[in-house]
Amino acid sequence: MYYLDSSILIPFTLARTVNTKKTKVIDELFSLISKRVIKCYTSFYCLLEVYIFSLQNAKNFEEGCEVGKEALIKILSSGVLLLTMVKREDRINYEHKFRKLKDKSDIPHAILAFINNCKIVTYDKHFNAIKDVIQIITPEEILKEIRK
C-alpha cells in the first residue's frame, strides 16, 4: 500500500504544466488507482497542503477557494482512500521514529504511513532522512515495480 504526499497530489491537480514528464507518470499512477490495480491513501494533511497551494497561487482569494475545491474533489473522486488525523497516542508512540525529519510538519504524514503499513510516495527528497524506518518511493518506482 502507498501513502501519497502532496508532492504527488499538487501536480495531479494544480501544477500540471510545471513538469509534464512527472505529470504523465502521476496520471498513469492515478489510472492504476482508479482501476484498483493499486491501493493508495492520502490524508487530511495532504488535502490541506493542496488547498493552501491553491490559495497561494491564485489571483485572489475567491479564485483560490474555487480552484482548491475543484482540486480536492478531483483527489477524493480518484479512488484514493482518505486516512484520518494522527491520534494523540500514535503521535506519542511513534514520533521518536521520525525525529530525523527537519520539517516537523512532515511527522504526521510519516506516522500515518507507518501505522497503515504504507510506503511514502513522494518527490520530496527530505523524506529520505527516514528511509531507514519507512520505505520512500517515487511514482516512477511504483510503475517499475508493477511492470515487472
Side-chain angles (χ1 to χ4, degrees), residues 46-131:
C46 290
L47 295 181
L48 180 58
E49 290 172 4
V50 169
Y51 194 73
I52 289 169
F53 181 90
S54 175
L55 293 174
Q56 290 174 337
N57 290 281
K59 293 176 187 168
N60 57 56
F61 182 75
E62 288 78 18
E63 178 187 79
C65 289
E66 202 51 43
V67 172
K69 183 169 59 173
E70 290 170 13
L72 297 180
I73 290 168
K74 183 175 181 181
I75 293 164
L76 295 171
S77 301
S78 70
V80 172
L81 302 170
L82 188 59
L83 297 172
T84 63
M85 307 289 274
V86 174
K87 295 177 189 169
R88 181 178 177 274
E89 310 85 57
D90 289 336
R91 183 179 282 274
I92 291 167
N93 291 330
Y94 298 106
E95 189 171 39
H96 70 280
K97 291 183 173 289
F98 305 107
R99 284 195 183 127
K100 291 181 187 174
L101 286 170
K102 290 183 181 179
D103 183 349
K104 300 307 176 199
S105 69
D106 286 327
I107 291 175
H109 298 279
I111 293 171
L112 279 176
F114 183 80
I115 64 176
N116 287 283
N117 299 310
C118 295
K119 298 174 185 178
I120 297 177
V121 184
T122 186
Y123 285 118
D124 290 342
K125 300 289 185 215
H126 61 271
F127 277 106
N128 287 334
I130 58 169
K131 66 183 179 186

Side-chain angles (χ1 to χ4, degrees), residues 27-41:
D27 286 347
E28 202 173 331
L29 177 69
F30 273 89
S31 174
L32 295 172
I33 294 167
S34 70
K35 293 175 185 171
R36 301 193 193 292
V37 173
I38 59 173
K39 188 182 282 189
C40 291
Y41 297 90

